[in-house]
Amino acid sequence: WMTFVVVGAGPTGVELAGAFAEIARRVLRDDFRRIDPRDARVFLVEAGPRVLSMLDPTLSSEAQAELVRMGVDVVTGGRVLAIDGEGVRIGERRVAARTVVWAAGVAAAPLAKSLGVPLDRSGRVKVQDDLRAPGLPEVWVAGDLAAFEENGKVIAGLAPIAIQEGKHVARNILRVAEGTSPLPFRYRDRGTMVTIGRACAVADVRGIRFGGLAARLTWLFVHVFFLIGFRNRVLVVGQWAY
């Protein structure tokens, strides 16, 4: 019961593992009579050679070092072969754990299969450059259900990308309704930031790479900036400071 396994070391997995470790070792350390939450073990399992593979190797190394400092057992090159109610099997190794969190990707909603169009391995629609389903000019696909390829690479299913796709689809629908041709979609990469703990993060903002407290403060600023309403921003900043 005191062992937690997070499968997948992308942004979601790294943030979850860091949160588990911090909650156990700081937030809940004095809340129980018969157990010490600081004895909890947190495993982060990644089949690839490093965590946060979409980022520069220097940022991956910094993130992994911070996770280890927080007490997370990082297992790279470890493929999860089986999961049951009492643990996981990582290669030939068995880890007993009651709580296993899957953060290694998801399958798309089965709705896509009803379209009868080409799908990728995860079940997402291989959309055209204007985000329409191939052969179905009246069907537009955006967000997690769209497999959009740019420069020979399928862009990730992240919230900033889905927001841009949604806005682009709306503009294209208006263009078609007005009798003009839809425009191709181009993703504008404004950077990637991943939080690891309350005082650490890693960031890659248009080629500028940095980590530690500076990256965490940058993440906080960006998060507050996108909140709706001045009151919400003040409340969130106050809660964080407290």
Side-chain angles (χ1 to χ4, degrees):
W1 288 107
M2 295 287 285
T3 301
F4 302 84
V5 178
V6 180
V7 183
T12 300
V14 167
E15 292 185 356
L16 272 172
F20 276 138
E22 192 157 78
I23 288 171
R25 288 166 174 74
R26 292 187 179 183
V27 180
L28 299 180
R29 62 185 179 185
D30 299 320
D31 286 9
F32 298 90
R33 296 178 181 176
R34 294 180 176 84
I35 64 169
D36 186 349
R38 290 172 292 186
D39 293 334
R41 298 189 68 189
V42 180
F43 288 85
L44 177 61
V45 184
E46 169 58 40
R50 59 189 177 94
V51 305
L52 300 176
S53 60
M54 79 294 298
L55 295 180
D56 185 81
T58 57
L59 292 180
S60 294
S61 298
E62 184 170 345
Q64 181 166 335
E66 179 63 20
L67 287 167
V68 171
R69 188 193 66 79
M70 295 172 66
V72 177
D73 290 306
V74 180
V75 181
T76 55
R79 186 180 178 188
V80 173
L81 301 179
I83 303 174
D84 55 43
E86 296 182 351
V88 300
R89 184 158 64 91
I90 308 167
E92 299 301 319
R93 180 184 183 185
R94 171 83 179 175
V95 175
R98 288 286 187 176
T99 304
V100 180
V101 181
W102 184 266
V106 296
L111 175 66
K113 297 179 182 178
S114 67
L115 297 176
V117 297
L119 308 177
D120 71 355
R121 188 174 60 180
S122 298
R124 298 178 297 176
V125 177
K126 294 182 177 181
V127 294
Q128 301 175 164
D129 61 355
D130 59 2
L131 297 179
R132 284 193 287 190
L136 298 174
E138 72 280 11
V139 177
W140 308 78
V141 187
D144 287 350
L145 206 60
F148 179 77
E149 188 172 306
E150 190 170 66
N151 298 323
K153 182 179 180 181
V154 177
I155 58 177
L158 301 175
I161 298 171
I163 291 170
Q164 290 184 32
E165 288 178 343
K167 291 180 178 179
H168 188 81
V169 165
R171 287 192 291 266
N172 270 346
I173 290 174
L174 288 174
R175 289 179 63 87
V176 171
E178 294 167 354
T180 57
S181 300
L183 298 174
F185 174 69
R186 293 291 178 267
Y187 171 54
R188 296 181 297 279
D189 187 358
R190 296 189 174 96
T192 302
M193 289 182 284
V194 180
T195 61
I196 303 168
R198 68 173 67 189
C200 185
V202 290
D204 186 340
V205 182
R206 296 183 177 179
I208 302 174
R209 305 180 182 97
F210 56 103
L213 181 59
R216 177 62 167 165
L217 293 175
T218 302
W219 184 93
L220 296 177
F221 172 80
V222 171
H223 189 88
V224 170
F225 179 80
F226 280 102
L227 290 177
I228 298 174
F230 177 77
R231 182 179 179 182
N232 286 336
R233 295 170 182 171
V234 172
L235 286 173
V236 168
V237 170
Q239 289 170 347
W240 280 341
Y242 174 78

